[in-house]
């Protein structure tokens, strides 16, 4: 089965088109104001409609309060909601139980112990996204982690790989980890928040070739 590909932090119709044309299976829409990839709800709704039926739309939230979460979900109606902060198990599990969305949780993978602790999400989420540990921003920092932590690991939850992935290293990352889904953001940018259509195409080509 071909690897699935998420291009995260898209913010223009042109770059959504580029992702779809290149074979991305998921587009990520960041609704988090401190991020250079933040998109307002009206624009996010338009980009979501552009991708409807062609790729799954992933709404990324970071420690959003219930009002902000509800407003964003109602406006965008995504296929997936991805939590990328310190959200509680009760909150994440409640969203999954009560609303018709896939629920993903990003986990900063520091060591083998993180993998063990991540099992608390069994039954609470549909997918874990293993990323580099948070820095100034919770994600999109362009840094990778030690992929050997995932080599041979017996996953009990569907998962994805993120963190510093580029066209130059994504094939190696897939071979090293067996990732079924890869996620990039800064790895296809010419500047923070500025997606490059050629880099998107190169990334998807390299991932699919792996």
């Amino acid at each position: 089965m071909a690897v699935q590909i998420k291009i995260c932090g898209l913010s223009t119709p042109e770059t959504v088109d580029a992702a779809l044309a290149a074979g991305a299976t998921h587009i990520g829409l960041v609704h988090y104001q401190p991020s250079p990839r933040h998109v307002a709800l009206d624009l996010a709704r338009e980009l979501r409609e552009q991708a409807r039926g062609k790729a799954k739309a992933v709404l990324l939230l970071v420690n959003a309060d219930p009002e902000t979460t509800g407003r964003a979900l109602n406006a965008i109606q995504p296929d997936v909601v991805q939590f990328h902060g310190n959200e509680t198990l009760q909150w994440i599990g409640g969203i999954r139980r009560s609303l018709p969305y896939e629920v993903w949780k990003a986990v900063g993978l520091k060591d083998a112990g993180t993998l063990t602790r991540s099992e608390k999400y069994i039954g609470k989420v549909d997918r874990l996204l293993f990323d580099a540990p948070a820095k100034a921003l919770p994600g999109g920092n362009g840094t990778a982690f030690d992929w050997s932590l995932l080599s041979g690991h017996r996953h009990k939850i569907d998962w994805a790989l993120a963190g510093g992935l580029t066209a130059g290293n994504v094939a190696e990352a897939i071979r090293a980890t067996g990732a079924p889904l890869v996620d990039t953001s800064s790895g296809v940018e010419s500047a923070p928040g500025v997606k490059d259509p050629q880099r998107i195409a190169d990334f998807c080509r390299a991932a699919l070739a792996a």
Side-chain angles (χ1 to χ4, degrees):
M1 181 180 291
V3 66
Q4 297 182 76
I5 301 168
K6 175 171 167 253
I7 307 296
C8 197
L10 294 166
S11 58
T12 67
E14 294 76 17
T15 53
V16 170
D17 276 342
L20 296 174
T25 55
H26 297 72
I27 66 159
L29 305 171
V30 176
H31 189 63
Y32 177 57
Q33 288 194 339
S35 171
R37 303 165 188 96
H38 169 74
V39 286
L41 295 182
D42 286 347
L43 175 57
R45 183 190 300 114
E46 293 174 8
L47 299 178
R48 189 271 182 274
E49 289 305 317
Q50 185 179 343
R52 188 181 293 277
K54 302 171 186 174
K56 288 188 175 182
V58 181
L59 169 64
L60 188 153
L61 299 172
V62 182
N63 298 327
D65 60 37
E67 181 182 356
T68 299
T69 301
R71 191 165 56 244
L73 290 172
N74 288 332
I76 299 168
Q77 297 290 307
D79 298 291
V80 182
V81 55
Q82 176 182 322
F83 293 106
H84 219 298
N86 299 314
E87 298 87 1
T88 67
L89 275 175
Q90 291 78 9
W91 174 243
I92 294 171
I95 293 286
R96 184 171 182 260
R97 284 193 308 272
S98 60
L99 296 173
Y101 309 113
E102 284 184 50
V103 172
W104 297 4
K105 178 68 177 77
V107 175
L109 191 52
K110 299 177 181 179
D111 51 38
T114 306
L115 289 171
T116 301
R117 291 188 293 274
S118 70
E119 293 183 4
K120 68 184 179 181
Y121 291 107
I122 293 173
K124 304 291 186 184
V125 303
D126 297 287
R127 189 181 298 272
L128 291 176
L129 178 72
F130 292 115
D131 200 349
K135 292 189 174 182
L137 290 170
N141 294 299
T143 54
F145 60 88
D146 182 3
W147 297 328
S148 69
L149 291 169
L150 291 167
S151 179
H153 179 69
R154 295 177 64 86
H155 295 273
K156 298 178 182 179
I157 308 173
D158 287 344
W159 65 286
L161 179 67
L165 297 179
T166 68
N169 68 12
V170 67
E172 178 188 357
I174 292 168
R175 288 192 292 267
T177 66
L181 189 156
V182 289
D183 182 337
T184 189
S185 184
S186 60
V188 291
E189 291 179 346
S190 57
V194 182
K195 292 292 187 286
D196 182 309
Q198 186 59 55
R199 295 186 193 194
I200 291 172
D202 291 345
F203 181 88
C204 292
R205 187 180 305 112
L208 292 170

